[in-house]
Amino acid sequence: MRKLQDRRAAPCALLLLLTFTGMILCGSGDLQAESAAKLIPVTAPPMGWSSWNSFSNTVDSQIIMDQAKAMVSNGMAQAGYQYVNIDEGWWLGERDAEGNIVVDAKAWPALAPGERAADMANIVRYIHGLGLKAGIYTDAGAEGCFLYPDLGPVYPHVGSEGYYEQDYLQFAKWGFDYVKVDWCGGDKEKLDPAVQYAEIARAIAKAEAVTGHRLYFSLCDWGNNSPWTWAPNVGGVPADIWRTSGDIVAPIVAHHKHSGRLASFLSVLSNFDEGIHPEAQHTGFYNDPDMMVVGMPGLTDAQNRVHMSLWAISAAPLLVGADLTTLSAATLATLTNPDVLAVDQDSLGLQGVKVASYGDGLEVWSKALSTPGERALLLLNRTGDAASITVHWSDLGLDESSSATVKDLWARKDLGSFNSSYSTTVEPDDAVMVVVRGSEGKLTTYTAASGVDLRKDQEVSFTHVASRVHMARVRIAYTNPDKAPRYAELRVNGQIGTRIAFPPTGSGNALGAIWVEALLDRTGANNVLDLSPVSNPGPNIESIALESDSGKH
Ligand code: GLA
């Protein structure tokens, strides 16, 4: 790959240098002052419900209608939940002579005059009629999972291998808005997930092109093959979310065998831990630690709140697994707390990172929000004893000489203004979630002198980049005059690259900015950030900016 530009940076006192590569610019300023680049919002993680955890393969039309109605009547839809996702069990593995999926007419009847039974478009119309969106499920292999045969017969061939284009076109034609693609069959056949999912991604893109209908792509290999390293760029097409771990719980279906199963808080914590890959989660692509078990048997109200906090601080998809028709008032309040949802859905789209830990099990997690100077924090106590946890503004990249206000998101209470740090007692196995509003620390800007339009086979390198922390937030200022995102790959110090979406910035020359998190693992000014185009043309890169001092002024 030919290098188009090599941008070296030096301490920010130096404003202009000349080297053998050409002109090098370096500037510094605080975020509030840098109004030139307007923050471009990215797609938020999905919010909705999935049938698997509470209905397993008993799922049918009536169940879906009841859940969709409940989502509207209990206030969840108003709070932002919108997807009603049908998981495994909706078909029995039979195809007709043309290879079309045969749908069971009894399970999926006509729902309105003029409809024909066994047409999945019926249930989609019903869901859409309530103002919601509809999701469907398949497997990348020939078989599905049928891994819980404790709930009835096992049906072979419920995967889509060999029928990718046909099936995804069918899903889009039925009107589905979302598809989850599992990996049980692929795993059994020892297929290569990056290869299969690439083919699926292309089939989805093709179905979208034919129908003009967006099919949100959820990829589910349980994190087995490190999907965070390839999923956002699988086959040149992004997967929107990818699972990072196994199931939190096997299905708990009321009045059926195993209805006595319990969800476990420890599994919630371990799925959260396995889902942390901040370097891959940005610009609308998300790690998916599994459907939530909030409100399912086994968790206390306090544990449900911690679970919700963990998913929100990591900007995880919020897909509820509980039966929506039987939620308690406390569970509903947990699922619909607007401040907590706002953290999850924040338009910066970044995952929270652990910024401090004290001994074993006392942790501070911080998620940068789109309003400059704002951080959502989770003060997590994994121990069996109550403990005090302190958060220092300097650990958050905030100016520690400025005071900051603190709001408790579960108590929904302003706690006042604090200088340089905040401490509170956190109960055993519990967490406190707050938003801190302070002043940003300083950023150092590394400028590509005249903007670089990334063309095929060319890249821009920012060398001698320093960062305050290893997991750094990097702001990229750019323009993209198109109507659709352009894409570029960011590689740091030769690590595996991550594909970044650069949404449109408008037709003029006004700069836009997106933020990513990147592992700058070299100390001092020794990091190298390469950006190379994935789309042709790539985005027009103006500069990158990072927190490079201690937050002290
Ligand atoms: C896998 C997935 C689950 C669910 C089941 C269906 O285990 O991880 O979320 O889709 O398959 O069988």
Side-chain angles (χ1 to χ4, degrees), residues 395-407:
D395 286 337
L396 308 177
L398 295 179
D399 174 8
E400 69 174 356
S401 64
S402 303
S403 64
T405 61
V406 177
K407 179 176 183 185

Side-chain angles (χ1 to χ4, degrees), residues 80-152:
Y81 292 88
Q82 57 172 348
Y83 287 103
V84 176
N85 291 349
I86 303 169
D87 206 283
E88 185 163 28
W90 66 272
W91 74 298
L92 311 181
E94 278 178 37
R95 292 179 185 270
D96 66 17
E98 278 80 52
N100 299 308
I101 291 170
V102 174
V103 176
D104 178 1
K106 273 213 212 85
W108 305 98
L111 300 173
E115 289 183 352
R116 131 188 110 66
D119 182 354
M120 294 303 282
N122 304 341
I123 192 68
V124 174
R125 263 193 300 273
Y126 183 87
I127 294 169
H128 285 172
L130 294 175
L132 303 171
K133 291 187 172 174
I136 191 75
Y137 168 98
T138 187
D139 195 285
E143 307 295 352
C145 291
F146 51 77
L147 24 108
Y148 301 109
D150 47 12
L151 274 190

Side-chain angles (χ1 to χ4, degrees), residues 398-464:
L398 295 179
D399 174 8
E400 69 174 356
S401 64
S402 303
S403 64
T405 61
V406 177
K407 179 176 183 185
D408 185 319
L409 302 191
W410 288 114
R412 307 210 60 199
K413 196 171 150 207
D414 290 321
L415 302 176
S417 185
F418 298 82
N419 293 321
S420 75
S421 69
Y422 170 73
S423 299
T424 192
T425 300
V426 186
E427 297 301 316
D429 288 321
D430 209 337
V432 167
M433 194 170 190
V434 297
V435 163
V436 172
R437 297 187 170 93
S439 304
E440 285 291 342
K442 279 193 171 165
L443 293 182
T444 300
T445 303
Y446 302 84
T447 308
S450 55
V452 179
D453 203 353
L454 298 179
R455 299 281 167 187
K456 228 179 170 51
D457 281 341
Q458 295 178 327
E459 67 179 31
V460 58
S461 282
F462 294 92
T463 61
H464 299 282

